[in-house]
Amino acid sequence: MSDNPTSFRTPWTTSLDLERKLTEQRLFSEQLELLGTAVHVAGEGIAILTPAVEAIGPRIAFVNDGFCAQYGRSRDEIIGQTPITFGIVERHQAIFDALLHHVFEGRPFEAEATARRKDGREFELQIQLVPVEDGGQLTHWVAFLRDVTATKTQVSLLRHQAMHDGLTDLPNRTLLFDRLDKAITTARDTHSALAMLLMDLDRFKEVNDTFGHHFGDVLLKQVAFRLRNQLHDADTVARLGGDEFAILLPDVGDANGAATTARNILNTLQQPFVVEGQLLEVGASIGIALYPHHGLDSRTLLRRADVAMYTAKQSQLGYSFHRDDHEPRSADQLALVVEMRHALERNEFELFYQPKLHLRSGIMTRAEVLLRWNHPTRGILAPGVFIPIAERTGLIRPITDWLLNRALQQVREWQDAGAPVHVAVNISAKSLLEQTLPSKIHMLLEKWRVDPRFLKIEITESSIMADPAHALAILSLLQSLGVRLSIDDFGTGYSSLTHLRQLPIDEIKIDKSFVAGMTTSDADASIVRTVIDLAHNLGKQVCAEGVEDEETWRVLRDMGCDLAQGYWISRPVNAEKLMQWLETTAWGLSRS
Ligand code: C2E
Ligand code: CA
Ligand code: CA
């Protein structure tokens, strides 16, 4: 051996190679083992599948411990099975089909689906299938199967938090807009209507200031609970912040449906709340905008519901629908609002008077008081221009106070001058529903020493019908003072006969639109005749307004109408001109 160094060298080299090879193999198998261990201890399920061959689908050739643990199955139960073992639930059949489709086409696949364990429990599975190739040939699939239930729960929790109000757990503004947009799309497709209600509590700030924020929070939670209970599953109640709530009614049908829901909400909130042993009463105001009538997109609907809510609050009507004339349309109108605030101080308002005559005798029984605004730059403005704005902004209240005082002062002055003129004053819905109106009027009658019979209040039919019960209460109080009452613009609203019979009114005024048409339109003439008969049957007087010619006057007299007023007799004039008119006219003044 020693004399043949070459023969000696070769086996030595060979044994070295062998050793290296053995070492490499050992290392490789060690690495494999390590890899195997790693695969087994991996938190997720790992499976190796055979590729699909012709019609034969893939089979599971290997699974790690994680896989067995995930499904609660032993390795024996799994090996050789099809991917059905991944447990994708029936309702996610489409995902399973897609998986097979990809495997047959040799394309990688990734999806999320609910899967079922052996014991039937479900979990959220994230599955990834990666093809393994050798020399361009697909040899295996490796499947990674992760249980993402916890992450999903976390994500859905975060999503919930992002879409809901933390205090009441009601949907927030984001979710509301999302649902509103969807509801609008559906309503457009199905040609149906939906309603957006915006509500805020009437005395919430007071509650917060008096009892503290914690107290306010508890109250808001109770409000949220009552709102939720009042509505259908398909409806959405959202809290937009503070004491502001929004209600989306996707299947409202029509305005009546929205009004009914609004009334139900107001009723349920009217029941007192008990917060920490404290009895609390909080009212609410609701503004309503309807799709498609009041707006075609979510922003417009919400904005209009907002303005309507403001109107409802100002008018104390409880709820109010959007009306086009509620929107300050132009800079011009906004300027008027500002200027109106100063008009009272600057004494720019003036009372005009229009005589109301007894048709048979031609004697003036009363003068209707009609407001005018002597605007410094625009000239004399008629109430149609500024009364609606005054009602919207709440300025109607001081204006009415001023007007009542001024009118009764005028009655006193005329009486002192020997002209006992009775007056009729127009009162808008908002002022009518003010609790203090009767006591204010009582005080002013005393102040100017005016007999209550000298004052008549004209209220439009629609403002009574806005809240008949409330109106009835106030009108009864006014009647008990001895003040006379009249329903204005009769025929333009929707009063029920029952209400009409109950109301303590003395007079019904036929709207001038019917009077103007009565000599040319048979329909108008028969409406006028019907209202006259109706009034008489109820024991009320009836007055026709808007008499513009002698023929109308004559026909009205023949129909038995009691009173008339109109341009043909006299236009509305200021106090001084009214006295001149009385002195010069052929008509007389009742001195009864
Ligand atoms: P109204 O109570 O129906 O008053 C009658 C309106 O018809 C008055 O318009 C009057 O000028 C007008 N008029 C009188 N005779 C005729 C006629 O023969 N033909 C025609 N075409 N019109 C006639 P005005 O003064 O512009 O008042 C409009 C409305 O504004 C009133 O309707 C009333 O609802 C409201 N209003 C007027 N003054 C006041 C007020 O002091 N307070 C409140 N809240 N509303 C008022
Ligand atoms: Ca009137
Ligand atoms: Ca009228």
Side-chain angles (χ1 to χ4, degrees):
M1 235 169 55
S2 58
D3 57 352
N4 191 347
T6 328
S7 66
F8 169 82
R9 207 181 298 129
T10 315
W12 185 83
T13 318
T14 312
S15 82
L16 253 186
D17 279 349
L18 190 68
E19 203 165 315
R20 192 181 299 131
K21 238 188 183 136
L22 280 174
T23 312
E24 274 173 1
Q25 262 180 8
R26 203 182 59 239
L27 275 176
F28 183 64
S29 70
E30 263 177 24
Q31 269 178 355
L32 261 184
E33 210 172 302
L34 210 62
L35 218 70
T37 315
V39 165
H40 279 303
V41 300
E44 57 189 9
I46 298 174
I48 297 176
L49 297 126
T50 57
V53 197
E54 291 173 8
I56 301 169
R59 292 286 188 276
I60 300 175
F62 166 90
V63 288
N64 70 345
D65 292 349
F67 189 102
C68 297
Q70 216 165 55
Y71 286 93
R73 292 180 189 276
S74 70
R75 194 163 273 109
D76 291 349
E77 288 175 279
I78 304 164
I79 301 296
Q81 300 298 318
T82 70
I84 286 205
T85 317
F86 293 164
I88 291 174
V89 297
E90 299 75 21
R91 64 177 181 277
H92 289 166
Q93 181 66 37
I95 297 175
F96 184 69
D97 291 348
L99 181 150
L100 282 187
H101 190 73
H102 278 73
V103 169
F104 273 100
E105 297 217 317
R107 286 190 287 130
F109 177 78
E110 201 176 327
E112 279 184 17
T114 308
R116 198 174 286 126
R117 295 161 47 97
K118 187 181 176 183
D119 63 10
R121 273 192 295 140
E122 294 186 351
F123 66 97
E124 293 309 308
L125 173 70
Q126 187 185 61
I127 181 166
Q128 199 181 1
L129 274 168
V130 185
V132 180
E133 290 181 2
D134 191 8
Q137 189 75 26
L138 198 152
T139 60
H140 290 96
W141 290 92
V142 183
F144 300 94
L145 303 108
R146 278 174 215 106
D147 180 346
V148 290
T149 313
T151 340
K152 277 219 135 170
T153 316
Q154 195 65 31
V155 167
S156 66
L157 192 73
L158 282 175
R159 189 174 294 146
H160 183 90
Q161 282 170 355
M163 298 282 205
H164 290 77
D165 162 50
L167 179 68
T168 59
D169 204 37
L170 290 177
N172 62 13
R173 187 181 289 270
T174 313
L175 186 53
L176 174 78
F177 266 104
D178 188 51
R179 296 213 182 140
L180 181 55
D181 286 336
K182 287 192 181 117
I184 287 174
T185 308
T186 311
R188 186 170 45 225
D189 293 348
T190 57
H191 301 287
S192 52
L194 67 82
M196 191 63 241
L197 277 59
L198 217 65
M199 181 195 99
D200 83 7
L201 303 177
D202 285 344
R203 281 178 291 277
F204 184 70
K205 196 181 156 346
E206 243 169 80
V207 171
N208 245 354
D209 292 349
T210 316
F211 302 103
H213 285 275
H214 167 67
F215 203 92
D217 284 356
V218 177
L219 178 66
L220 287 175
K221 279 192 202 174
Q222 292 191 16
V223 168
F225 182 77
R226 286 194 195 180
L227 286 176
R228 201 47 273 176
N229 270 355
Q230 197 57 52
L231 297 162
H232 300 127
D233 287 346
D235 304 337
T236 296
V237 194
R239 179 172 173 234
L240 304 185
D243 60 341
E244 201 176 52
F245 295 85
I247 298 122
L248 164 65
L249 308 175
D251 312 312
V252 71
D254 56 16
N256 281 334
T260 305
T261 306
R263 275 195 298 270
N264 288 343
I265 291 174
L266 292 170
N267 281 340
T268 183
L269 295 182
Q270 239 150 41
Q271 314 302 318
F273 288 84
V274 182
V275 180
E276 295 177 351
Q278 189 86 35
L279 208 63
L280 273 185
E281 289 190 25
V282 277
S285 303
I286 299 175
I288 309 172
L290 298 170
Y291 171 92
H293 317 79
H294 302 147
L296 297 176
D297 62 276
S298 50
R299 298 190 142 274
T300 310
L301 286 173
L302 223 64
R303 184 164 45 80
R304 299 206 152 154
D306 196 26
V307 176
M309 178 177 81
Y310 185 71
T311 312
K313 196 175 272 300
Q314 292 292 317
S315 60
Q316 301 172 0
L317 288 177
Y319 69 91
S320 174
F321 281 90
H322 161 77
R323 275 179 27 197
D324 278 342
D325 57 4
H326 281 167
E327 294 227 345
R329 255 179 302 249
S330 55
D332 208 41
Q333 285 204 352
L334 286 174
L336 268 191
V337 175
V338 178
E339 290 159 358
M340 213 188 308
R341 290 190 207 283
H342 304 293
L344 273 176
E345 306 156 20
R346 295 182 191 147
N347 221 2
E348 289 169 4
F349 287 115
E350 188 179 2
L351 300 186
F352 271 45
Y353 300 85
Q354 186 179 38
K356 273 168 117 168
L357 262 57
H358 191 249
L359 264 161
R360 252 172 305 149
S361 64
I363 282 173
M364 177 176 122
T365 58
R366 240 172 238 280
E368 177 173 5
V369 179
L370 294 158
L371 192 59
R372 297 290 180 266
W373 178 2
N374 293 314
H375 191 278
T377 54
R378 298 171 205 237
I380 297 183
L381 296 182
V385 179
F386 61 89
I387 293 273
I389 303 175
E391 288 182 333
R392 210 165 60 222
T393 53
L395 279 168
I396 191 71
R397 191 184 290 223
I399 291 176
T400 304
D401 290 352
W402 174 86
L403 176 142
L404 282 165
N405 182 60
R406 185 74 198 90
L408 291 174
Q409 180 185 16
Q410 186 63 68
V411 170
R412 165 77 5 241
E413 282 171 17
W414 279 330
Q415 265 180 32
D416 290 347
V421 179
H422 294 54
V423 289
V425 169
N426 293 285
I427 294 289
S428 66
K430 213 188 126 188
S431 304
L432 176 69
L433 298 180
E434 214 184 294
Q435 304 282 358
T436 51
L437 183 71
S439 62
K440 261 182 204 163
I441 288 180
H442 179 64
M443 209 192 64
L444 289 170
L445 289 167
E446 302 244 293
K447 176 180 171 190
W448 297 109
R449 291 172 290 111
V450 171
D451 184 325
R453 283 177 305 142
F454 274 67
L455 178 64
K456 182 172 267 183
I457 303 284
E458 294 190 5
I459 316 113
T460 63
E461 188 187 9
S462 47
S463 60
I464 293 176
M465 290 312 141
D467 187 350
H470 201 159
L472 178 62
I474 306 249
L475 291 180
S476 303
L477 276 173
L478 288 170
Q479 187 201 32
S480 67
L481 290 178
V483 169
R484 298 296 145 98
L485 302 167
S486 170
I487 292 198
D488 208 351
D489 298 351
F490 191 78
T492 57
Y494 301 95
S495 37
S496 80
L497 279 178
T498 325
H499 283 131
L500 201 57
R501 204 157 40 92
Q502 285 171 346
L503 291 169
I505 47 157
D506 308 279
E507 177 188 88
I508 292 176
K509 287 184 86 170
I510 310 174
D511 190 65
K512 54 182 169 290
S513 58
F514 303 113
V515 177
M518 62 181 283
T519 52
T520 48
S521 148
D522 286 345
D524 284 349
S526 71
I527 289 173
V528 172
R529 192 190 308 275
T530 308
V531 177
I532 293 171
D533 290 346
L534 174 74
H536 287 163
N537 287 338
L538 293 169
K540 325 269 184 209
Q541 279 207 313
V542 58
C543 174
E545 60 179 22
V547 176
E548 294 188 355
D549 51 50
E550 187 172 6
E551 195 195 348
T552 309
W553 167 275
R554 210 171 28 72
V555 176
L556 282 167
R557 192 188 52 201
D558 294 346
M559 282 180 176
C561 187
D562 305 295
L563 305 162
Q565 72 185 98
Y567 292 170
W568 184 65
I569 303 151
S570 167
R571 289 196 170 244
V573 290
N574 65 20
E576 195 187 337
K577 291 227 177 78
L578 183 76
M579 284 301 120
Q580 287 170 9
W581 178 84
L582 269 173
E583 279 163 17
T584 53
T585 183
W587 316 106
L589 171 64
S590 157
R591 289 176 186 272
S592 65

